[in-house]
């Protein structure tokens, strides 16, 4: 469970799990307070939008 293993709250865990289930390469968010930036979680890279491109 993402909420337990990565400390994500309900809606945040749902957003990231949707990216995982959809086989996204990246999950981009400005929310560096709640998401583990720079980590790869179940094959999805979590990063801020400015870090891409």
């Amino acid at each position: 469970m993402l909420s337990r293993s990565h400390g994500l709250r309900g809606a945040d865990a749902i957003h990231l799990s949707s990216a995982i289930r959809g086989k996204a390469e990246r999950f981009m968010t400005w929310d560096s307070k709640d998401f583990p930036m720079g980590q790869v979680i179940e094959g999805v890279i979590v990063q801020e939008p400015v870090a891409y491109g």
Side-chain angles (χ1 to χ4, degrees):
M1 294 183 82
L2 294 173
S3 56
R4 288 186 189 162
S5 61
H6 296 285
L8 296 174
R9 289 184 261 160
D12 294 335
I14 290 170
H15 288 140
L16 185 54
S17 65
S18 296
I20 293 167
R21 181 154 177 134
K23 299 184 183 191
E25 196 174 299
R26 300 177 191 286
F27 178 82
M28 296 190 180
T29 180
W30 291 108
D31 190 359
S32 60
K33 184 182 106 201
D34 294 323
F35 286 94
M37 295 297 172
Q39 290 188 22
V40 178
I41 299 175
E42 297 188 37
V44 176
I45 301 166
V46 179
Q47 67 185 141
E48 289 184 350
V50 294
Y52 184 73

